[in-house]
Amino acid sequence: MPSWTRRSIEILAAEAARSADTHLIRLDLPAFPGIPLYLKDESAHPTGSLKHRLARSLFLYAICNGWLHEDQPVIEASSGSTAISEAYFARLLGLPFIAAMPRRTSCDKIAQIEHFGGRSHLIDGTDVYGAAEQLARESDGYYMDQFTFAERATDWRGNNNIAESIFRQMEREFDPVPRWIVVSAGTGGTSATIGRYIRYGAARSDGTQLAVVDPENSVFMDYFNSGDASLRLDCGSRIEGIGRPRVEPSFIRGVIDRMIRVPDNASMAALRVLERLMGRRCGGSTGTNLVGALQLMCELRASGEKGPVVTLICDGGERYRKTYYNDDWLAAEGFDVANEQARLEQVIQSGRWVDA
């Protein structure tokens, strides 16, 4: 094995050993007796998001496959969070890093990429894939391609992946088996890992179902319903990190039990509801997750069923101070947050789902 390859694997293994597991936070809402809500706080990772796990796995996958070499630039197509995490790991390994991203990516994310020594290549439109491929050709770099490799780079059978971590942390709860795990999809890697793990570990996860929430301007739910992988959109999602204008290779529809469409307005309002409940701010995709989780909790309550619902805090709200938490930006984007927040608060108080 080349010395750089061996050393890089050791560096990544040491980084993993330094990282503690993320918290699983329990919320008991009075209107939902016997239906506790758990939030897996992925913002606690060193790079502040769920994508930290993915980035480590992608680097290991590329190195162990012999695709990534010493001094080679790493190129990625991203909406921000994966790029932040990959910039962190590229710096650990002494590799240059460039992210191709939509121009509307939050400036706080761009600043964090630069903090970790990477740089951003901003484009108009949605073809971050083509931009990343071109950058890789021009720089003789390696295109990491999270949208293709996310579902296969992570060991879905265990090895402390996010699914194994959730079920291990749930073991000592009074009701340890989640009725639903609710996630959103960007690459589809997280839903693929969790969905496969549920099936692989059926003895301990029997009764758990996987729901994926999808924002506006995304083809995932339409693909889930139709099976048409040729679906395309001309515009991208306004919820950074989730929703895609095309069907990504890492999105595995067969492991998903249900999909729920969440309006962007509801995602924005849910952030304010969650801030009241938890006393902290989270990123936009966490708002999308919360809306889907609340809908499923209402359905359980209406049918007289009980059991835990688990979802994710994908990243923190500090990256979105100038967007999702900025009233002027919300007004310019046409969000009616006040009315939607009132609707969601009514759902939480009554335990009954109220359509927008």
Side-chain angles (χ1 to χ4, degrees):
M1 185 187 300
S3 60
W4 180 86
T5 299
R6 184 187 301 277
R7 185 172 68 253
S8 296
I9 293 170
E10 290 172 350
I11 289 171
L12 295 174
E15 193 280 337
R18 291 193 301 270
S19 297
D21 204 351
T22 58
H23 301 296
L24 187 64
I25 301 167
R26 174 172 172 147
L27 288 181
D28 290 289
L29 304 176
F32 298 93
I35 310 173
L37 173 63
Y38 293 85
L39 297 105
K40 178 76 165 158
D41 185 7
E42 293 293 287
S43 72
H45 287 294
T47 55
S49 83
L50 169 68
K51 300 300 185 179
H52 192 85
R53 296 177 190 267
L54 172 61
R56 186 194 296 118
S57 295
L58 287 168
F59 271 91
L60 282 169
Y61 191 69
I63 292 167
C64 292
N65 280 331
W67 298 341
L68 179 59
H69 306 288
E70 187 173 6
D71 298 327
Q72 191 174 22
V74 176
I75 316 296
E76 184 60 285
S78 175
S79 60
S81 288
T82 303
I84 293 168
S85 298
E86 289 186 11
Y88 167 89
F89 283 104
R91 187 174 72 173
L92 278 182
L93 301 177
L95 301 174
F97 178 78
I98 308 171
M101 302 190 298
R103 194 171 301 280
R104 64 182 295 150
T105 301
S106 89
C107 58
D108 291 305
K109 287 185 176 179
I110 294 170
Q112 284 189 287
I113 292 167
E114 294 173 352
H115 170 74
F116 289 123
R119 65 182 181 91
S120 302
H121 177 77
L122 304 179
I123 68 163
D124 297 310
T126 61
D127 190 20
V128 291
Y129 327 93
E133 290 170 354
Q134 182 177 348
L135 285 169
R137 286 194 300 271
E138 292 173 352
S139 65
D140 195 23
Y142 172 70
Y143 174 28
M144 192 70 80
D145 196 2
Q146 60 164 324
F147 296 105
T148 295
F149 297 116
E151 58 88 9
R152 65 198 74 171
T154 299
D155 183 354
W156 49 267
R157 290 164 295 189
N159 196 19
N160 196 35
N161 67 38
I162 190 169
E164 182 181 52
S165 177
I166 287 170
F167 281 97
R168 185 178 63 248
Q169 289 176 316
M170 288 292 297
E171 284 178 354
R172 291 182 179 273
E173 298 300 302
F174 178 77
D175 193 347
V177 180
R179 293 297 303 276
W180 287 98
I181 297 179
V182 182
V183 301
S184 42
T187 61
T190 301
S191 58
T193 297
I194 294 175
R196 288 165 170 165
Y197 186 86
I198 288 171
R199 286 157 176 74
Y200 179 71
R204 59 183 172 276
S205 61
D206 188 34
T208 300
Q209 292 183 282
L210 174 64
V212 174
V213 288
D214 205 29
E216 297 174 29
N217 301 322
S218 176
V219 300
F220 284 145
M221 183 165 177
D222 293 328
Y223 168 61
F224 177 77
N225 291 328
S226 69
D228 182 1
S230 68
L231 294 170
R232 295 289 189 277
L233 292 174
D234 293 329
C235 58
S237 167
R238 292 185 293 182
I239 310 299
E240 289 187 25
I242 64 170
R244 299 301 305 166
R246 72 174 196 183
V247 179
E248 302 297 351
S250 280
F251 185 80
I252 311 298
R253 66 195 280 258
V255 303
I256 298 166
D257 297 295
R258 178 173 173 182
M259 289 199 68
I260 299 172
R261 180 81 72 192
V262 176
D264 291 350
N265 212 33
S267 295
M268 296 296 98
L271 295 181
R272 281 138 182 86
V273 173
L274 196 57
E275 185 176 9
R276 179 186 67 78
L277 292 172
M278 297 185 64
R280 56 177 289 190
R281 291 181 168 183
C282 300
S285 56
T286 305
T288 311
N289 290 344
L290 179 62
V291 175
L294 287 173
Q295 183 173 335
L296 293 169
M297 291 166 69
C298 287
E299 292 176 6
L300 289 173
R301 183 183 185 276
S303 62
E305 299 176 74
K306 296 183 179 181
V309 174
V310 179
T311 191
L312 307 180
I313 297 175
C314 300
D315 61 357
E318 66 279 355
R319 297 178 176 179
Y320 309 98
R321 296 170 298 169
K322 297 180 180 179
T323 53
Y324 304 152
Y325 291 97
N326 183 303
D327 290 341
D328 292 337
W329 184 89
L330 291 172
E333 293 290 324
F335 289 123
D336 179 13
V337 174
N339 288 341
E340 189 63 17
Q341 183 177 350
R343 181 182 75 86
L344 292 176
E345 292 286 7
Q346 181 183 352
V347 169
I348 287 174
Q349 294 300 317
S350 68
R352 297 183 180 85
W353 186 252
V354 180
D355 287 321

